[in-house]
Amino acid sequence: GARVVNWPLRRLALSRCGNLYARLALGMPVSDATGGYRVYRRGALDAMDLSSVCSQGYSFQVELSRLAHRAGMRIVEVPITFAEREHGSSKMNALIVAEALWRITTWAVQDRGRAWRRGTGRAS
């Protein structure tokens, strides 16, 4: 339900494709795993293994969404309007995108391997 205002087509495509890939690869019921504004209850943070966080940049938000999902936390998304920045420039570059793709793919493989070893055949 979020809206985007004045985003270049390239940025919109990157956001939508990245979120679709994260959602499908990691099996998370999250529309925007990359959104930067998050609120966590203390109990949720305590339930997640934050010492395992290894991401830098863009994939950090995806990793926290994954940890919350794997810990069985309820994830609620509130639609907002994203407007193109008026000042400054994006820090997004090819290395940040590559890190996100690498990490999401690695987590997906790990999660599926863990599920198969448990005998469920499904990632959790």
Side-chain angles (χ1 to χ4, degrees):
R3 290 185 336 120
V4 294
V5 178
N6 297 327
W7 274 20
L9 183 58
R10 182 172 180 255
R11 181 177 180 195
L12 184 60
L14 178 63
S15 177
R16 288 195 176 157
C17 291
N19 276 297
L20 177 63
Y21 181 65
R23 186 169 52 253
L24 295 175
L26 301 175
M28 295 188 309
V30 177
S31 297
D32 187 3
T34 63
Y37 182 76
R38 304 287 176 89
V39 177
Y40 293 93
R41 289 192 168 120
R42 173 64 191 247
L45 293 173
D46 290 341
M48 296 189 293
D49 181 13
L50 297 177
S51 67
S52 70
V53 173
C54 57
S55 298
Q56 303 292 317
Y58 187 70
S59 59
F60 177 76
Q61 290 95 327
V62 178
E63 185 169 9
L64 288 184
S65 293
R66 174 180 174 259
L67 289 175
H69 176 66
R70 287 182 62 208
M73 299 294 118
R74 183 173 61 107
I75 300 172
V76 177
E77 295 179 279
V78 178
I80 63 170
T81 298
F82 291 95
E84 181 64 12
R85 71 179 46 83
E86 295 180 18
H87 305 286
S89 60
S90 174
K91 296 174 202 69
M92 180 67 67
N93 60 42
L95 290 175
I96 292 171
V97 173
E99 179 199 14
L101 286 172
W102 171 253
R103 292 203 184 277
I104 291 168
T105 302
T106 300
W107 295 326
V109 169
Q110 289 171 350
D111 290 350
R112 281 168 180 70
R114 196 175 292 114
W116 285 109
R117 283 190 298 279
R118 282 195 320 264
T120 64
R122 292 182 341 167
S124 60

